[in-house]
Amino acid sequence: MSMIQCISPVNGEVYAERPGLSLEAARDAVARARKAQKDWARRPLEDRVQLVMKGVARLNEMTDVVVPELAWQMGRPVKYGGEFRGFNERSNYVAAIAADALAPLVVEDSASFERRIEREPHGVVFVIAPWNYPYMTAINTIAPALMAGNVIVLKHAAQTLLVGERMVQAFVEAGVPGDVFQNVFLDHEVADALISEGSFNFINFTGSVAGGRAVERAAAGTFTGLGLELGGKDPGYVMEDADLDAAVDTLMDGATFNSGQCCCGIERIYVNESLYDAFVEKSVAWVSNYKLGNPLDPETTLGPMAHKRFARVVREQIADAVGNGAKALVDPKLFPADDGGAYLAPQILVDVDHSMTFMREETFGPAVGIMKVKSDAQALELMNDSQYGLTVSLWTKDADRAARLGREIETGTVFMNRADYLDPALCWTGVKNTGRGGSLSVLGFHNLTRPKSYHLKKVTA
């Protein structure tokens, strides 16, 4: 039996461990889910929505446990209060649109024919959730999938081992049947075996590009539907008419919040030459105000990265860039808690270019590169020079200009004058190596269901 461990970034010690299920036990869990699905789908939509929202409310009552657990598991400071704001916003929105999103598309309802397209749940949905925002990323699929009549098998990353347990505890205590929403502890081999056997009707995976490829390989030939949200290298572009202070505040927060471990975090910034010097100076001052330290200390504003190996990647990328001519502008002496391990000082690099790994590969840490540009054309070429495409953040007072540029940018979401936010009314989606599919919005419901057509010819006397 394999043991799955969470090594806390707070102190480098084992915080939690759970035995991984054997393949036989995992198959049994899936079988129980499948058996429960039809009855769950037969319940009125209103009942399913209400039960999901009761589960959300119950989790909110567990704040005092959930927030410090997150700090211990992946290092986010308790000061920020967990993920409840986004968790609740997304849940409330999908609940509000569920009836319309799942309503039949009626083509004809006459004396001669009924013709319509209905939305049917896929069945058993496997959610493989990441550690960086373990509650919010999971709820993106769990809430609409359950509302639509699917059942959920949830597997969280080892780094946030206890999150699935907490979610299932809350939802089951609120009245969701235990077999309808199950948390499982699986090693990669058992998970791959389940996927390759066609155990699931839909799989949602959030994680690395390598992880997405592994899921796709395991699912090959099973025709299982996949939603994949993978890596990112999201750019910001500050135009000459931007609100400079607002751009600094939002883009630096987008680059460093959660120790830079955000799917849509800002990883590279292009600034018009007229604002470049001022933007860099203000950005260095902004980032230098962080207090790096123990995430359980209410004064800490920047916690450790989730694991020392993630911090090592960031340090290596920075060192490589500096070795190739980049300049690091944030004084490391301001961050005495940087221990060379999981605790990592934030950093801003200039004199960077796209020959550097730091500007091409996902960094996923509190470090960002800033480049000077002369024109929209130059910025556009640089923004598209990436294997990823999740979001872009454009800073200008001209909405037409932003929309015009947005049409040329290879990305899933175009932001103007904001960044690092997931609007549940819009489809969360990516292009290129960022993955495929889309969650939330009406389209998210469509991805979690399949169309069934009804062509009913009426017999007339």
Side-chain angles (χ1 to χ4, degrees):
M1 180 185 293
S2 62
M3 290 299 292
I4 300 170
Q5 293 186 329
C6 165
I7 308 295
S8 174
V10 176
N11 57 12
E13 296 176 6
V14 175
Y15 176 67
E17 61 181 1
R18 296 288 186 272
L21 291 179
S22 67
L23 181 55
E24 187 179 342
R27 285 173 178 150
D28 183 59
V30 174
R32 292 197 310 274
R34 192 166 297 287
K35 188 176 178 184
Q37 192 267 325
K38 295 294 184 189
D39 281 344
W40 176 249
R42 286 188 194 104
R43 292 192 185 211
L45 172 61
E46 194 176 308
D47 289 2
R48 297 196 302 264
V49 170
Q50 194 173 45
L51 279 169
V52 169
M53 295 311 294
K54 282 181 177 174
V56 168
R58 178 70 190 101
L59 191 71
N60 275 259
E61 293 169 359
M62 296 157 68
T63 305
D64 291 348
V65 176
V66 163
V67 172
E69 267 184 358
L70 273 176
W72 278 108
Q73 289 174 96
M74 52 72 66
R76 187 181 308 122
V78 294
K79 177 184 180 72
Y80 299 118
E83 301 172 20
F84 288 101
R85 183 177 171 188
F87 187 87
N88 296 338
E89 182 183 37
R90 297 168 194 193
S91 303
N92 288 329
Y93 184 78
V94 294
I97 68 165
D100 285 341
L102 297 169
L105 178 61
V106 178
V107 178
E108 182 181 357
D109 185 6
S110 69
S112 303
F113 286 97
E114 280 183 44
R115 292 186 294 143
R116 63 183 181 275
I117 303 166
E118 294 190 0
R119 308 297 317 183
E120 272 204 355
H122 288 303
V124 182
V125 173
F126 188 31
V127 177
I128 308 173
W131 50 262
N132 64 322
Y133 283 95
Y135 285 98
M136 287 200 292
T137 52
I139 204 65
N140 290 352
T141 301
I142 289 167
L146 288 174
M147 290 175 188
N150 297 288
V151 295
I152 299 288
V153 176
L154 172 63
K155 174 198 173 306
H156 259 92
Q159 197 65 50
T160 43
L161 197 60
L162 305 182
V163 170
E165 275 188 344
R166 287 287 173 225
M167 291 186 79
V168 167
Q169 177 192 345
F171 278 59
V172 171
E173 286 178 4
V176 174
D179 289 342
V180 165
F181 185 13
Q182 297 180 64
N183 176 65
V184 292
F185 300 106
L186 305 176
D187 63 26
H188 290 311
E189 289 73 25
V190 172
D192 281 358
L194 287 177
I195 293 169
S196 64
E197 290 172 2
S199 303
F200 308 106
N201 302 102
F202 190 84
I203 300 167
N204 182 269
F205 172 84
T206 305
S208 68
V209 174
R213 289 195 175 114
V215 169
E216 220 174 37
R217 274 196 300 271
T222 65
F223 310 122
T224 306
L226 299 178
L228 304 172
E229 197 223 302
L230 311 175
K233 193 77 183 169
D234 288 4
Y237 172 32
V238 182
M239 298 172 226
E240 71 282 351
D241 66 337
D243 179 329
L244 182 61
D245 289 334
V248 168
D249 188 52
T250 301
L251 291 173
M252 287 304 108
D253 183 65
T256 56
F257 185 77
N258 205 38
S259 297
Q261 299 165 134
C262 302
C263 303
C264 58
I266 296 294
E267 297 220 352
R268 51 200 175 106
I269 301 172
Y270 308 101
V271 183
N272 181 274
E273 57 189 358
S274 66
L275 293 183
Y276 176 82
D277 290 340
F279 182 89
V280 169
E281 183 182 346
K282 286 174 179 281
S283 293
V284 172
W286 195 101
V287 167
S288 297
N289 278 326
Y290 269 119
K291 183 182 178 191
L292 175 67
N294 189 316
L296 296 154
D297 179 348
E299 298 298 309
T300 293
T301 53
L302 193 70
M305 292 192 65
H307 196 285
K308 62 184 180 183
R309 74 177 182 274
F310 305 146
R312 188 185 313 127
V313 170
V314 183
R315 289 190 177 96
E316 287 170 354
Q317 285 192 11
I318 291 172
D320 173 73
V322 169
N324 283 286
K327 285 200 188 84
L329 299 182
V330 176
D331 184 356
K333 293 191 187 70
L334 297 171
F335 299 93
D338 188 326
D339 62 354
Y343 289 85
L344 172 70
Q347 192 52 270
I348 291 171
L349 299 187
V350 295
D351 296 340
V352 288
D353 60 50
H354 282 214
S355 71
M356 299 171 182
T357 303
F358 182 74
M359 294 298 281
R360 287 197 324 274
E361 295 295 335
E362 187 168 39
T363 303
F364 221 59
V368 66
I370 306 175
M371 286 178 69
K372 184 190 297 184
V373 293
K374 295 179 182 296
S375 65
D376 286 356
Q378 184 186 8
L380 181 63
E381 184 178 348
L382 289 165
M383 285 188 281
N384 281 343
D385 182 26
S386 174
Q387 62 177 308
Y388 304 109
L390 185 59
T391 78
V392 62
S393 178
L394 303 177
W395 288 81
T396 175
K397 295 183 175 68
D398 186 343
D400 289 339
R401 182 182 180 186
R404 195 164 59 245
L405 267 171
R407 290 185 195 101
E408 302 297 324
I409 298 169
E410 295 153 359
T411 191
T413 295
V414 178
F415 289 117
M416 184 180 87
N417 300 333
R418 77 176 313 176
D420 191 22
Y421 172 69
L422 196 159
D423 182 341
L426 301 177
C427 189
W428 192 244
T429 185
V431 298
K432 299 194 276 193
N433 279 358
T434 294
R436 61 187 172 109
S439 60
L440 296 173
S441 78
V442 171
L443 299 181
F445 273 108
H446 288 183
N447 285 331
L448 291 166
T449 54
R450 61 177 176 268
K452 180 183 275 187
S453 294
Y454 288 80
H455 192 147
L456 310 179
K457 183 179 181 182
K458 297 177 182 177
V459 176
T460 53

